[in-house]
Amino acid sequence: MEQKVRFAIIGAGRIGQVHAENLTRRIQGAEVVAIADLVPEAAEQTARRFGIAEASGNPAEVIRRDDVDAIAICSSTETHADFITQAARAGKHAFCEKPIALRLPAVDAALAAVAESGTKLQIGFNRRFDPNFRGIRDAVRNGEVGAPYLVQITSRDPEPPPLSYIRDSGGLFLDMMIHDFDMVRFLLDDEVEEVSATGAVRVDPAIGEAGDIDTAIVTLRYACGALAVITNSRQAVYGGDQRVEVLGSLGSVLCENNTPDRVIRQTEAGVIHAKPLYFFLERYLAAYADELRSFIRAILNDTEVEVTGSDGRAPVVLALAAEKSYREKRSVAVGEFSP
Amino acid sequence: MEQKVRFAIIGAGRIGQVHAENLTRRIQGAEVVAIADLVPEAAEQTARRFGIAEASGNPAEVIRRDDVDAIAICSSTETHADFITQAARAGKHAFCEKPIALRLPAVDAALAAVAESGTKLQIGFNRRFDPNFRGIRDAVRNGEVGAPYLVQITSRDPEPPPLSYIRDSGGLFLDMMIHDFDMVRFLLDDEVEEVSATGAVRVDPAIGEAGDIDTAIVTLRYACGALAVITNSRQAVYGGDQRVEVLGSLGSVLCENNTPDRVIRQTEAGVIHAKPLYFFLERYLAAYADELRSFIRAILNDTEVEVTGSDGRAPVVLALAAEKSYREKRSVAVGEFSP
Amino acid sequence: MEQKVRFAIIGAGRIGQVHAENLTRRIQGAEVVAIADLVPEAAEQTARRFGIAEASGNPAEVIRRDDVDAIAICSSTETHADFITQAARAGKHAFCEKPIALRLPAVDAALAAVAESGTKLQIGFNRRFDPNFRGIRDAVRNGEVGAPYLVQITSRDPEPPPLSYIRDSGGLFLDMMIHDFDMVRFLLDDEVEEVSATGAVRVDPAIGEAGDIDTAIVTLRYACGALAVITNSRQAVYGGDQRVEVLGSLGSVLCENNTPDRVIRQTEAGVIHAKPLYFFLERYLAAYADELRSFIRAILNDTEVEVTGSDGRAPVVLALAAEKSYREKRSVAVGEFSP
Amino acid sequence: MEQKVRFAIIGAGRIGQVHAENLTRRIQGAEVVAIADLVPEAAEQTARRFGIAEASGNPAEVIRRDDVDAIAICSSTETHADFITQAARAGKHAFCEKPIALRLPAVDAALAAVAESGTKLQIGFNRRFDPNFRGIRDAVRNGEVGAPYLVQITSRDPEPPPLSYIRDSGGLFLDMMIHDFDMVRFLLDDEVEEVSATGAVRVDPAIGEAGDIDTAIVTLRYACGALAVITNSRQAVYGGDQRVEVLGSLGSVLCENNTPDRVIRQTEAGVIHAKPLYFFLERYLAAYADELRSFIRAILNDTEVEVTGSDGRAPVVLALAAEKSYREKRSVAVGEFSP
């Protein structure tokens, strides 16, 4: 008999629905027992859509259910750390969306609860499961680029999120670039020691008025001495643009954007290729399922998860260092933040 | 309540398993009630693998089951026409792999049975559901290439099938190029009037000894006057290579091969892109599911199927004309074969 | 002291001016002594433009000048064979534009005169000097594709020539596809034994009324058994499209079109690459100079030219065979034409 | 009669020979009267090679010759400012390789001499004449990217220069990245206000021991608020890699590397494209000639040169600011350097 991990999903928003669809339809070893949202109607609607038996307005109750093995935390960022802690205390494994929290004490409290309980925690850095980025990481690990010199990450969203979202997001470094800070660590299996950030408001003045930036460049120095640069823009009208390159002594490995097809039009207007897949939901469709498959395998085989709690903490530190660097117009040592 | 089409699958070979996996795991509106194979062990094994309740060594019986709405015919080519006829007489819809048969009388008998019963028949020309080819067809229909001049189809398998398969396959024109004959019709919504074929044994002399060829070029003339050329090779060691181009008065639309990723390595050896997806199972993974989704929609909504019986007949005629042209070293009018 | 080959140019039309510019400005080992054209004003104008001392309305006289080592024959096709003969009899080397003549007796008479005189004759198959096609030929010779299976040549002009030109051109097979017939021989170092042609009028009905076609597909069989296909269109509105591919047992080698730059625009309209270089003058700019450099080296070093008289004859035979095949709707053995 | 600019070349090293070849062989409106080098044998050898009448070991004398209109200064960097001054005082126009000098007082003295004499001075930022970069700049000017957000410049040499060269080069920012600082200004027609630099020794520890770095990232802020990032590496084993991208509100415009051909090999090892042209001499072959053509046009038509003295000064300021930022680990305002 096939063994299944029984899930409860907390949060029925956009990303909660992505995981609900994957867990109910695309992934063999999973079962979704319940979904909870502080807005009970949202939970009910998603439950109906994906045939989930139980919908609840009370996450805490759902987390403690006996018939639940693992919690998928898809609620808003400020609730992540608390739900991780509740899950750990209830003896449940947790898969949690990034970031764990916007401030380190909250992150550390959650990680301590997990350490104490011995449950598993995986952070939702879905891009680690994208075949392009994984291919580049594997090439680096296989020694194909030799000694690393430079990492270059280009990350552009097709359009900025609503201002209401921006206001509570923690800012570009913690909300958007957090993925790239994780990618920096993923690609090289090394830690960053120094961060230097520049930012600007170019896309929409209202983003600046909301206290955030929409365009940024961050340079980083790894412990091994290699350098990295991340560029972010909240708007690329041709579609989400996510490219990564690692240059080293033996050459470089990079990736182009995924496209919906490989059709090319040759007309008087030019030789026209397809635009990149529009946004993360399209681009990372398979990666979202694969990260949960990986989490389920770690539970069923009782092995280490592929994206640990400390993998969730490190990019928060880098984002905080970037913020500080941006404000103080100087290079910031990661050591300025307690380990 | 969601409505489901109840399927029986006939044939538990490679393509039967592809459809079994899609119908049981990836497609919402389907249910597989039974699977039959003349080798009962094969049916049983596939039934176990995909959780199909009933396995049988008797296709005829399974086709007549009351709890079955539609038959997926995945058995060997020489049985297709007969199973289509049985399905039609039992009032069942049929989805049948290509080709319907290797000779026209058998094709016509099967189509007559379907016409009489009023059931639906869809032919498994999966490439019509590939996003690249569909994108090109749509561009042509939208007038993006203007008046068509030339259609160019390149079709190469990564490796030849076993000789045992080749011997019963009907030959390259009926077995391999049949897909391209269908593509010729799909891309332009026009019929072919004239066929001229050349062939050679280049890949493996044993294929020649088995009475077949492994390399071929066929040129065709559409009723509208446009020309087409199909090239086939049984072997491209870098992976399956399937490209299509339509040139017209406003330009050309073509496609590159799909690849597993978009990773590029820049080394002293060159700038190295990923090879094409290896073979049809990888390349047409999504297309195999989409053709069944289309068939299910046609049943549930009682609309015309997207690939009709006469769409299944026409490429057989073209393949027979190509064979004749190849043997007689002359251009063959399609009209030489009765309508 | 640097040795120079002293040229006379016959013909001051478009291609004559290309060669005049190359010989006077881009090529070190050449000197242009005179230019002749049946229209003396044309000769004078080109002479002025490129600083050529002597302009003449009398080609025969210019060919016999004592201070001339080599003749560049750039006049209209029907005069080629005669000027080759005159040059040979005057003991001058000749570089002659393709084709040598539209009919074999004229070709053979010219080649006989050259053979008798022992002078050098090089035919202007400029595409043999294009780095892409040469790179593919070299890869084939180096064994990179293994045993050859299939050669595919796509050749499209951006726009048809004037009808007046078409009328005297000898038809698409002898005027346009002649380059591709040469390419077929160049890529594989093998001879063609069988030809099968299809053609259509798609671009402009007036071309049909002038007795020609504007769209054609020709398939060929090499002595070694490999197959080739050439497709031609007189119009590709996005620019001249000239691609070549050789498939063999170890893979395929192909080329993309040259473009004026490698700029890519990513906009809402798509990811837009540069169009191909517009026409042969742009695409083969360097090749036109390189073929003359090669001719000059052969003269100065007294070695065999890279494109011989029999290289000029063979494509004429293939074009004549294609015409016959097109008219008679059957495969034509090259042996039907005397060797 | 065609008007010619009479040149003297100062410096017979690698770049001096490039300009000598272009001025004597590829450019119509130029004549080279003399070449001088502090090593007279070098001057003589280059004079012989390109048929230059006069070779000298005395640059000052050559600069003052009556039959010279313009000086091409191709000597080592520390002599540039002085030769510019000498040329200006002699009433000669000057084309000078980058950088004008490694320190601002020397730059300013040279520019003052030019201003006083009213002669023309063009700086050898050859990349401004590369069709790719020029195409991007033109697209930006035409409004194709809309309001600019981000400029990304990737610049990698295939191999580091000799250590002896590195020691006198002024360091990576002044020697290598100077081209990119110019590119930053060229692409956007805007000035930079803030610079932040990171650097590392990754390619060769000996470069570090010589007091330089070989890997660097610099971020810049334009007056308009847009950001830019430049990455440099002294080694990319697959060939020189020079890519540029401008992202703005309407999309992005970028370029791929130029390659010697467009040949693609499809083998079991992958789909292999040509490597980039190896180094600047190959990549910018045409640009080196075009910058001199532009200079000659400016002289003959008495118009403003395309790359002015202040275009030569500004990148020196940016390089000095980058050095300061790198040493002090902070963002440096360009205003810290006097205008």
Side-chain angles (χ1 to χ4, degrees), chain C residues 7 15 17-30 95 97 122 124-131 280-297 306:
Chain C
F7 274 86
I15 195 69
Q17 293 185 46
V18 168
H19 291 315
E21 180 163 9
N22 281 326
L23 288 170
T24 56
R25 296 188 177 166
R26 294 208 185 92
I27 295 173
Q28 300 300 321
F95 175 92
E97 277 303 313
Q122 182 171 323
F125 282 121
N126 55 299
R127 294 185 196 171
R128 290 189 176 216
F129 296 86
D130 177 76
F280 61 97
L281 293 182
E282 293 84 10
R283 165 75 181 258
Y284 299 113
L285 189 64
Y288 279 117
D290 283 340
E291 64 176 356
L292 284 171
R293 288 193 185 99
S294 166
F295 178 56
I296 290 166
R297 275 196 309 274
E306 284 196 74

Side-chain angles (χ1 to χ4, degrees), chain C residues 4-331:
Chain C
K4 295 210 171 198
V5 174
R6 297 166 299 172
F7 274 86
I9 298 172
I10 309 299
R14 188 167 56 171
I15 195 69
Q17 293 185 46
V18 168
H19 291 315
E21 180 163 9
N22 281 326
L23 288 170
T24 56
R25 296 188 177 166
R26 294 208 185 92
I27 295 173
Q28 300 300 321
E31 196 185 329
V32 181
V33 170
I35 182 162
D37 196 291
L38 293 175
V39 184
E41 295 72 28
E44 276 154 31
Q45 201 179 330
T46 303
R48 266 197 310 278
R49 188 168 157 215
F50 297 109
I52 300 170
E54 182 77 18
S56 159
N58 188 335
E61 225 171 71
V62 159
I63 288 173
R64 287 193 306 267
R65 282 174 69 115
D66 282 346
D67 59 354
V68 161
D69 305 312
I71 314 296
I73 303 172
C74 313
S75 47
S76 59
T77 296
E78 81 277 6
T79 67
H80 288 176
D82 188 37
F83 287 142
I84 290 174
T85 303
Q86 289 184 33
R89 290 188 181 153
K92 315 296 189 186
H93 305 297
F95 175 92
C96 183
E97 277 303 313
K98 60 86 213 170
I100 298 176
L102 300 180
R103 295 295 165 234
L104 285 181
V107 171
D108 290 336
L111 297 191
V114 171
E116 203 175 327
S117 73
T119 51
K120 292 182 196 303
L121 169 66
Q122 182 171 323
I123 308 303
F125 282 121
N126 55 299
R127 294 185 196 171
R128 290 189 176 216
F129 296 86
D130 177 76
N132 289 342
F133 302 144
R134 186 157 283 241
I136 293 174
R137 198 270 315 252
D138 291 348
V140 172
R141 282 204 181 165
N142 294 341
E144 292 184 53
V145 304
Y149 294 170
L150 258 177
V151 172
Q152 300 187 194
I153 299 177
T154 294
S155 205
R156 300 171 190 165
D157 286 347
E159 53 180 316
L163 283 172
S164 57
Y165 176 93
I166 294 237
R167 273 185 209 106
D168 299 331
S169 69
L172 180 142
F173 297 118
L174 271 158
D175 176 59
M176 178 175 176
M177 203 181 278
I178 192 97
H179 280 292
D180 307 300
F181 288 129
D182 180 59
M183 189 56 57
V184 161
R185 297 180 67 246
F186 176 63
L187 291 172
L188 244 57
D189 269 332
D190 191 12
E191 296 297 337
V192 168
E193 297 194 334
E194 206 178 73
V195 177
S196 182
T198 327
V201 178
R202 299 298 295 162
V203 174
D204 184 355
I207 293 175
E209 287 153 23
D212 201 358
I213 52 178
D214 52 35
T215 310
I217 304 173
V218 171
T219 63
L220 309 103
R221 183 189 306 274
Y222 288 97
C224 73
L227 304 180
V229 63
I230 301 165
T231 61
N232 268 194
S233 169
R234 284 285 195 188
Q235 186 192 58
V237 295
Y238 53 89
D241 190 345
Q242 312 232 317
R243 287 172 277 159
V244 151
E245 178 169 13
V246 181
L247 170 73
S249 54
L250 298 180
S252 102
V253 186
L254 70 158
C255 64
E256 294 182 338
N257 285 302
N258 287 330
T259 52
D261 59 55
R262 304 293 285 256
V263 174
I264 300 172
R265 286 156 166 80
Q266 301 190 110
T267 74
E268 287 189 340
V271 175
I272 308 171
H273 296 236
K275 291 189 285 186
L277 289 167
Y278 189 68
F279 216 157
F280 61 97
L281 293 182
E282 293 84 10
R283 165 75 181 258
Y284 299 113
L285 189 64
Y288 279 117
D290 283 340
E291 64 176 356
L292 284 171
R293 288 193 185 99
S294 166
F295 178 56
I296 290 166
R297 275 196 309 274
I299 293 173
L300 294 179
N301 305 331
D302 194 15
T303 54
E304 174 74 292
V305 295
E306 284 196 74
V307 195
T308 67
S310 76
D311 288 331
R313 184 188 195 275
V316 174
V317 172
L318 297 181
L320 295 171
E323 271 189 353
K324 195 173 189 185
S325 168
Y326 170 61
R327 280 197 316 272
E328 303 183 3
K329 287 178 170 282
R330 65 172 181 92
S331 176

Side-chain angles (χ1 to χ4, degrees), chain A residues 148-149 152 154 156 194 196 198-200 202 217 219 221 224-226 228 231 235 237 243 245 249-250 329 331, chain D residues 148-149 152 154 156 194 196 198-200 202 217 219 221 224-226 228 231 235 237 243 245 247 249-250 329 331:
Chain A
Y149 294 171
Q152 300 187 194
T154 294
R156 301 171 188 164
E194 207 178 73
S196 182
T198 326
R202 300 299 295 161
I217 304 172
T219 63
R221 183 190 306 275
C224 72
T231 61
Q235 187 193 58
V237 295
R243 288 172 277 160
E245 179 169 12
S249 54
L250 298 180
K329 287 178 171 281
S331 177
Chain D
Y149 294 171
Q152 299 187 194
T154 294
R156 300 171 189 166
E194 205 178 71
S196 182
T198 326
R202 299 300 294 163
I217 304 173
T219 62
R221 183 190 305 277
C224 73
T231 62
Q235 188 192 57
V237 296
R243 287 171 277 159
E245 179 169 12
L247 170 72
S249 54
L250 298 181
K329 286 178 171 283
S331 177

Side-chain angles (χ1 to χ4, degrees), chain B residues 79-335:
Chain B
T79 67
H80 288 176
D82 188 37
F83 287 143
I84 289 173
T85 303
Q86 289 184 35
R89 290 188 182 154
K92 314 295 190 188
H93 305 297
F95 175 93
C96 184
E97 277 303 313
K98 60 88 212 167
I100 298 176
L102 299 180
R103 295 295 165 235
L104 284 181
V107 171
D108 290 336
L111 297 190
V114 172
E116 203 175 327
S117 73
T119 51
K120 291 182 196 303
L121 169 66
Q122 181 169 324
I123 308 303
F125 281 120
N126 54 298
R127 294 186 196 170
R128 290 189 176 217
F129 296 86
D130 177 77
N132 289 342
F133 303 144
R134 188 157 281 243
I136 293 173
R137 198 270 316 251
D138 290 349
V140 172
R141 282 205 181 164
N142 295 342
E144 292 185 51
V145 304
Y149 293 171
L150 258 177
V151 172
Q152 300 187 194
I153 299 178
T154 293
S155 204
R156 300 171 189 166
D157 285 348
E159 52 181 317
L163 284 172
S164 58
Y165 176 92
I166 294 238
R167 274 186 208 102
D168 299 332
S169 68
L172 181 142
F173 297 118
L174 270 157
D175 177 59
M176 179 174 175
M177 202 180 278
I178 192 99
H179 280 292
D180 306 302
F181 290 128
D182 180 58
M183 189 56 57
V184 161
R185 296 180 67 246
F186 177 64
L187 291 171
L188 243 57
D189 270 332
D190 190 14
E191 296 298 337
V192 168
E193 297 194 335
E194 205 178 74
V195 177
S196 182
T198 326
V201 178
R202 299 299 294 162
V203 174
D204 184 355
I207 292 175
E209 287 153 23
D212 202 358
I213 53 178
D214 52 35
T215 309
I217 304 173
V218 171
T219 62
L220 309 103
R221 184 190 305 275
Y222 288 96
C224 73
L227 304 180
V229 63
I230 300 166
T231 62
N232 267 196
S233 169
R234 283 285 194 187
Q235 187 193 58
V237 296
Y238 53 88
D241 190 346
Q242 312 230 317
R243 287 171 277 159
V244 151
E245 178 168 12
V246 181
L247 170 72
S249 54
L250 299 180
S252 103
V253 186
L254 70 159
C255 63
E256 294 183 338
N257 284 301
N258 287 331
T259 53
D261 59 54
R262 304 293 285 256
V263 174
I264 300 171
R265 286 154 166 82
Q266 301 192 109
T267 74
E268 286 190 340
V271 175
I272 308 171
H273 296 236
K275 289 188 287 186
L277 289 167
Y278 189 67
F279 216 157
F280 61 97
L281 293 182
E282 294 84 11
R283 164 74 182 258
Y284 300 112
L285 190 64
Y288 279 117
D290 283 340
E291 65 177 353
L292 284 171
R293 288 194 184 98
S294 165
F295 179 56
I296 290 165
R297 276 197 308 273
I299 293 173
L300 294 179
N301 305 331
D302 195 15
T303 53
E304 175 74 292
V305 295
E306 284 197 73
V307 194
T308 66
S310 76
D311 288 330
R313 185 187 194 275
V316 175
V317 172
L318 296 180
L320 294 171
E323 271 188 353
K324 195 173 189 184
S325 167
Y326 170 61
R327 280 197 316 272
E328 303 183 2
K329 286 175 171 282
R330 65 172 181 89
S331 176
V332 168
V334 171

Side-chain angles (χ1 to χ4, degrees), chain D residues 111-153:
Chain D
L111 298 190
V114 172
E116 204 175 328
S117 73
T119 51
K120 291 182 196 303
L121 169 66
Q122 181 169 323
I123 307 303
F125 282 121
N126 54 298
R127 293 186 198 170
R128 290 190 177 215
F129 296 86
D130 177 77
N132 289 342
F133 302 145
R134 187 157 283 240
I136 294 173
R137 198 269 315 252
D138 290 347
V140 171
R141 282 204 181 164
N142 294 343
E144 291 185 52
V145 303
Y149 294 171
L150 258 176
V151 172
Q152 299 187 194
I153 299 177

Side-chain angles (χ1 to χ4, degrees), chain A residues 6-7 59 68 70 100 110 138 176 189 201 206 232-233 262 271 280-281 287 297 320 334:
Chain A
R6 296 165 301 172
F7 275 86
V68 161
I100 299 177
D138 290 348
M176 179 175 175
D189 270 331
V201 178
N232 268 193
S233 169
R262 304 293 285 258
V271 175
F280 62 96
L281 293 182
R297 275 196 309 272
L320 295 171
V334 170

